[in-house]
């Protein structure tokens, strides 16, 4: 019972904190520096989309984001690729094939992904407010997420 | 959860000149409650296990601290495995505009993981880090990365099929210096040196050293359509102490990839050449599909050509062919795969894939899979998945046929909730192992929380994740799995 108590206490006590997005700093595939903290200073929310080249729902999601949200709308999108070294050579050709124009960050060891998700399931998206709070997380391709993002575009 | 108004509230940059105190605290966690029987001894009593992992992150301005804690409780099993709280990882990071320094645990990879890869894979409960110091500094156009420390593997993995601790029974220490420089905005060259030494656990003296030297280059966006990557490494091994008399071969590991994508086509040619590369803290490109159980990444040469044609949104066909030489088997290796994705009747999404892998005179395997997703009512859909694999594991001496069939039917009631049934059929299982396996599962997602409940049996077989494969035993029991992010 001690263990159950500890786990419950841990979960409960952590839930008292506001949902804050872990920050990260890395380099995009086109060689530019990317810092979540700096991006949030633009005053727009950020959608962090974790994806892999072999994941069809991920590609569907990025294509839908491209079509419905665009790259310069009310929400900033960053696509964090979680392909391992096995498939990381596919990232640039796949991005080119699908005309993905969002900033792409490579995270082959899941240094960033592990801060947001304890499993490996993708697509996994995190909507972060301009003030750095996690507004919502979406596991799997989500029509709800698309509707939510489109509402920002209208505003 | 904050309301939408928070989205457009003023950023912290609006609060003018006074120094800011930005802080954040968050956590991500994963828990499993298991009740399972031993597949090797079905008459044994079921065992209960509670496994829990939590990553707590605190940030203050440019500092970030991470702690990973695990709990493990096995009330009717091996009490020695119980652990109320284990501090698995501890990390303090300080970042600045051109670099960062990490004290404590960090993931490390050199090149494409041929020389070194310390990574995390929750499917296998792997979480291997460097416990020490890591410094990365960019002095444009040069980036320097230095790290040193000991290898720290997860002690209490939260996984149904955990892999063995990769540094069990030994202490491994690493030190590395890597340099990368941009020759132009599209061309980067780099090099790395890695020193590794190990000693048996609690032994005072070291018994083996490794020296790895590697170079790599990347050319991105040639004519806006072509990407090239190449890497080669040499590995020198020295025996120490009792091992001093042993002569270890020099290993070599090289990989090259050329990708082209334009006008709906994607073509990729890859080659690997690994020769006597005996070093296990790595995850090199295997070029194998994720259904092949035994991946030889030590002594093998192969090339693979992949062609994909995007015909329309959500519609594409692809094929790949691998040809090489597996020096462990002393045999040629071939693997051809074709597949496609398209929109079927009633707006269904269909994925098909089939292939044949053979090593003449040694092994062969044919495989096929199909997946159908059929929209039903608004926001609801039905998914049907089937996988078949027949493998002749030993053709030289006697035939060992492994015939595996898996069928899953899942209904997605909404984006938050789905439930499904599974049937797995392995007619070639030897007595007394059963041939039929039935299971049911349901998944519930709500914001940052996810829960999955599973009950029944699975047939085991090859499980691959991120290029790492292992044969897992059959499972019988139930588990509840939860994931949370704060």
């Amino acid at each position: 019972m001690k263990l159950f108590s500890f786990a419950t206490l841990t979960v409960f006590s952590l839930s008292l904190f506001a949902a804050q997005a872990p920050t990260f700093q890395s380099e995009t595939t086109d060689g530019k520096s990317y810092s979540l903290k700096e991006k949030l200073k633009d005053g727009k929310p950020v959608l962090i989309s974790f994806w892999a080249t072999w994941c069809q729902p991920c590609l569907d999601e990025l294509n839908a984001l491209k079509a419905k949200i665009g790259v310069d709308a009310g929400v900033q999108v960053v696509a964090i690729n979680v392909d391992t070294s096995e498939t990381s050579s596919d990232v640039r050709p796949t991005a080119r094939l699908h005309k993905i124009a969002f900033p792409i960050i490579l995270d082959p060891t899941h240094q960033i992904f592990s801060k947001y998700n304890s499993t490996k399931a993708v697509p996994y998206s995190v909507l972060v407010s301009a003030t750095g709070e996690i507004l919502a997380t979406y596991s799997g391709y989500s029509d709800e997420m698309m509707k939510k993002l489109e509402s920002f575009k209208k505003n | 959860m904050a309301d939408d108004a928070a989205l457009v509230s003023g950023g912290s940059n609006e609060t003018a000149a006074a120094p800011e105190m930005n802080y954040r605290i968050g956590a991500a966690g994963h828990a499993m409650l298991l009740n399972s029987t031993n597949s090797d001894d079905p008459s044994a009593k079921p065992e209960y296990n509670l496994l829990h992992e939590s990553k707590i992150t605190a940030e203050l301005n440019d500092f970030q601290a991470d702690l990973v804690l695990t709990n493990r409780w096995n009330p009717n099993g091996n009490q020695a495995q119980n652990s109320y709280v284990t501090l698995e990882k501890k990390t303090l990071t300080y970042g600045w505009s051109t670099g960062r320094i990490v004290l404590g645990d960090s993931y490390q990879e050199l090149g494409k993981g041929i020389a070194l890869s310390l990574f995390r894979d929750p499917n296998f409960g792997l979480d291997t880090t460097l416990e020490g110091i890591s410094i990365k500094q960019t002095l444009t156009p040069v980036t320097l990365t230095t790290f040193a420390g000991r290898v720290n593997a997860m002690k209490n993995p939260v996984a149904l099929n955990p892999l063995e601790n990769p540094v069990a029974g030994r202490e491994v220490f690493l030190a590395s210096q890597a340099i990368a420089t941009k020759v132009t905005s599209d061309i980067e060259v780099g090099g790395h040196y890695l020193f590794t030494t190990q000693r048996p656990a609690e032994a005072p003296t070291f018994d083996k050293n490794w020296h790895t030297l590697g170079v790599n280059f990347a050319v991105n966006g040639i004519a806006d359509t072509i990407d090239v990557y190449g890497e080669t490494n040499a590995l020198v091994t020295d025996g120490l102490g009792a091992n001093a008399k042993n002569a270890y071969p020099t290993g070599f590991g090289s990989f090259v990839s050329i990708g082209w994508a334009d006008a709906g086509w994607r073509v990729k040619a890859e080659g690997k050449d690994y020769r006597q590369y005996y070093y296990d803290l790595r995850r090199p490109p295997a070029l194998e599909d994720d259904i092949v159980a035994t991946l030889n990444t030590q002594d093998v040469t192969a090339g693979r050509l992949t062609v994909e044609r995007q015909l329309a949104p959500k519609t594409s066909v692809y094929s790949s062919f691998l040809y090489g030489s597996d020096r462990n088997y002393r045999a040629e290796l071939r693997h051809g795969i074709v597949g496609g994705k398209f929109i079927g009747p009633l707006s269904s999404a269909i994925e098909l894939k089939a292939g044949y892998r053979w090593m003449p005179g040694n092994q062969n395997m044919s495989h096929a899979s199909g997946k159908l997703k059929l929209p039903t009512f608004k926001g609801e859909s039905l998914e049907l998945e089937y996988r078949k694999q027949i493998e002749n594991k030993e053709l030289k001496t006697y035939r060992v046929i492994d015939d595996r069939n898996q069928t899953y039917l899942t209904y997605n009631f909404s984006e938050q909730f789905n439930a499904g049934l599974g049937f797995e059929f392995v007619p070639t299982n030897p007595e007394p192992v059963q041939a039929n396996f039935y299971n049911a599962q349901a998944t519930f997602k709500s914001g940052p929380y996810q829960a999955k409940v599973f009950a029944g049996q699975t047939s085991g077989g090859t499980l691959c994740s991120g290029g790492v494969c292992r044969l897992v035993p059959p499972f019988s029991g139930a588990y509840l799995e939860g994931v949370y992010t704060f």
Side-chain angles (χ1 to χ4, degrees):
Chain A
M1 288 307 292
K2 281 181 185 174
L3 183 60
F4 278 115
S5 304
F6 172 77
T8 307
L9 186 64
T10 303
V11 170
F12 177 72
S13 56
L14 289 170
S15 66
L16 296 177
F17 295 110
Q20 295 289 331
T23 55
F24 56 86
Q25 183 178 337
S26 192
E27 190 176 278
T28 61
T29 50
D30 56 4
K32 294 175 182 166
S33 176
Y34 187 99
S35 160
L36 179 63
K37 194 181 281 184
E38 292 300 314
K39 279 288 167 190
L40 291 173
K41 287 181 180 174
D42 292 346
K44 292 179 183 175
V46 173
L47 180 78
I48 306 168
S49 176
F50 294 97
W51 69 290
T53 55
W54 43 264
C55 163
Q56 185 60 38
C58 301
L59 298 172
D60 292 345
E61 179 177 292
L62 289 171
N63 279 316
L65 283 170
K66 180 182 65 183
K68 293 183 179 177
I69 308 302
V71 293
D72 189 25
V75 179
Q76 308 177 87
V77 178
V78 57
I80 299 187
N81 179 274
V82 298
D83 277 86
T84 64
S85 48
E86 177 67 36
T87 49
S88 59
S89 295
D90 291 336
V91 176
R92 284 185 179 85
T94 301
R96 199 168 286 129
L97 183 68
H98 291 272
K99 298 183 171 61
I100 298 167
F102 304 119
I104 296 173
I105 290 172
L106 303 183
D107 186 24
T109 58
H110 298 183
Q111 184 100 35
I112 302 169
F113 192 27
S114 65
K115 293 177 184 174
Y116 285 87
N117 190 336
S118 295
T119 69
K120 277 188 69 178
V122 285
Y124 186 79
S125 301
V126 182
L127 182 59
V128 181
S129 77
T131 52
E133 291 173 307
I134 295 177
L135 289 174
T137 61
Y138 302 94
S139 181
Y141 181 93
S142 172
D143 287 320
E144 283 181 16
M145 180 179 83
M146 296 300 165
K147 285 177 189 166
K148 177 107 175 167
L149 296 179
E150 279 190 291
S151 71
F152 296 143
K153 195 176 181 181
K154 286 170 191 167
N155 294 332
Chain B
M1 288 285 165
D3 59 27
D4 288 356
L7 278 166
V8 290
S9 64
S12 56
N13 54 336
E14 290 183 2
T15 52
E20 293 179 54
M21 179 80 81
N22 292 323
Y23 70 94
R24 305 168 194 273
I25 296 176
H30 182 202
M32 288 189 86
L33 182 61
L34 280 156
N35 173 0
S36 60
T37 54
N38 184 340
S39 60
D40 296 327
D41 183 9
S43 62
K45 284 184 179 177
E47 280 196 17
Y48 297 87
N49 273 287
L50 176 63
L51 310 167
H52 174 244
E53 172 191 3
S54 184
K55 181 165 193 167
I56 302 166
T57 301
E59 295 175 26
L60 178 64
N61 294 337
D62 295 324
F63 289 91
Q64 179 172 317
D66 298 290
L67 292 177
V68 176
L69 303 167
T70 58
N71 322 122
R72 183 188 181 101
W73 189 44
N74 185 336
N76 63 340
N78 183 355
Q79 297 299 306
Q81 292 183 345
N82 287 347
S83 163
Y84 289 119
V85 184
T86 299
L87 178 58
E88 300 270 5
K89 314 281 181 189
K90 47 195 179 301
T91 306
L92 180 65
T93 306
Y94 176 69
W96 59 96
S97 60
T98 58
R100 68 168 184 267
I101 181 167
V102 182
L103 298 174
D105 290 277
S106 61
Y107 301 104
Q108 300 291 344
E109 189 162 272
L110 293 171
K112 291 284 182 195
I114 298 169
L116 174 76
S117 186
L118 303 179
F119 62 96
R120 173 178 174 273
D121 189 327
N123 288 352
F124 288 133
L126 279 175
D127 193 343
T128 310
T129 50
L130 174 87
E131 188 180 36
I133 183 169
S134 169
I135 304 170
K136 185 174 184 179
Q137 173 69 53
T138 299
L139 303 164
T140 307
V142 177
T143 299
L144 297 164
T145 306
T146 308
F147 61 80
R150 64 179 282 274
V151 177
N152 178 25
M154 185 73 116
K155 298 170 189 71
N156 299 319
V158 183
L160 198 59
N161 295 293
L163 279 182
E164 187 185 351
N165 183 332
V167 290
R170 60 179 178 152
E171 285 267 13
V172 180
F173 299 86
L174 307 173
S176 174
Q177 176 66 57
I179 182 170
T181 184
K182 285 187 182 296
V183 179
T184 69
S185 61
D186 297 326
I187 300 175
E188 185 173 287
V189 296
H192 51 255
Y193 169 73
L194 170 69
F195 171 71
T196 309
T197 188
Q198 75 165 29
R199 68 182 180 206
E202 298 172 13
T205 55
F206 293 87
D207 64 1
K208 201 182 271 188
N209 287 343
W210 292 267
H211 302 270
T212 309
L213 192 62
V215 292
N216 58 70
F217 72 94
V219 186
N220 300 315
I222 302 171
D224 286 332
T225 58
I226 299 171
D227 300 296
V228 181
Y229 179 85
E231 177 182 343
T232 189
N233 296 272
L235 174 73
V236 175
T237 309
D238 297 327
L240 304 172
N243 282 338
K245 295 174 186 170
N246 297 334
Y248 296 95
T250 299
F252 296 95
S254 302
F255 170 76
V256 63
S257 165
I258 303 170
W260 171 80
D262 195 23
W265 288 89
R266 182 173 71 90
V267 179
K268 188 176 66 165
E270 301 160 287
K272 64 175 180 180
D273 184 38
Y274 306 139
R275 293 176 185 270
Q276 299 182 311
Y277 209 105
Y278 302 111
Y279 181 84
D280 57 350
L281 297 170
R282 56 200 284 266
R283 186 170 55 164
L287 310 191
E288 287 277 17
D289 215 53
D290 63 0
I291 52 173
V292 180
T294 306
L295 292 178
N296 170 10
T297 56
Q298 290 81 41
D299 214 354
V300 62
T301 300
R304 181 173 66 174
L305 180 68
T306 305
V307 179
E308 179 182 355
R309 175 73 170 123
Q310 188 85 23
L311 299 166
K314 299 185 181 181
T315 302
S316 64
V317 292
Y318 63 90
S319 69
S320 72
F321 188 77
L322 175 128
Y323 179 79
S325 169
D326 187 322
R327 284 181 285 278
N328 282 356
Y329 280 94
R330 297 180 184 178
E332 287 188 349
L333 169 65
R334 297 157 192 166
H335 194 174
I337 297 171
V338 293
K341 306 160 191 168
F342 56 95
I343 303 298
L346 304 172
S347 301
S348 60
I350 297 172
E351 292 179 35
L352 299 172
K353 179 179 174 181
Y356 184 60
R357 183 183 192 270
W358 73 108
M359 298 169 71
N362 283 272
Q363 299 178 345
N364 62 40
M365 176 176 69
S366 50
H367 57 92
S369 63
K371 190 174 180 181
L372 168 77
K373 185 173 182 179
L374 181 68
T376 53
F377 304 102
K378 188 180 180 184
E380 300 181 23
S381 60
L382 179 72
E383 285 184 36
L384 178 64
E385 187 173 1
Y386 176 70
R387 293 197 289 261
K388 181 171 184 69
Q389 184 171 311
I390 302 177
E391 190 173 3
N392 293 317
K393 291 187 172 180
E394 180 57 79
L395 296 173
K396 274 185 177 171
T397 52
Y398 55 94
R399 289 167 68 86
V400 178
I401 298 177
D402 188 36
D403 180 1
R404 294 182 178 271
N405 305 268
Q406 298 170 312
T407 307
Y408 304 103
L409 184 67
T410 305
Y411 194 81
N412 299 306
F413 293 91
S414 67
E415 287 186 1
Q416 286 74 38
F417 178 62
N418 69 51
L421 298 170
F423 171 58
E424 301 179 14
F425 177 53
V426 189
T428 50
N429 268 346
E431 292 286 347
V433 182
Q434 68 207 79
N436 299 317
F437 301 82
Y438 303 92
N439 58 63
Q441 59 181 304
T443 305
F444 178 73
K445 305 169 190 171
S446 176
Y449 306 97
Q450 284 183 53
K452 177 182 176 181
V453 60
F454 172 96
Q457 308 125 5
T458 56
S459 58
T462 305
L463 178 65
C464 294
S465 181
V468 178
C469 295
R470 65 165 292 195
L471 280 170
V472 301
F475 172 84
S476 179
Y479 63 84
L480 174 66
E481 185 174 20
V483 178
Y484 60 86
T485 306
F486 296 124

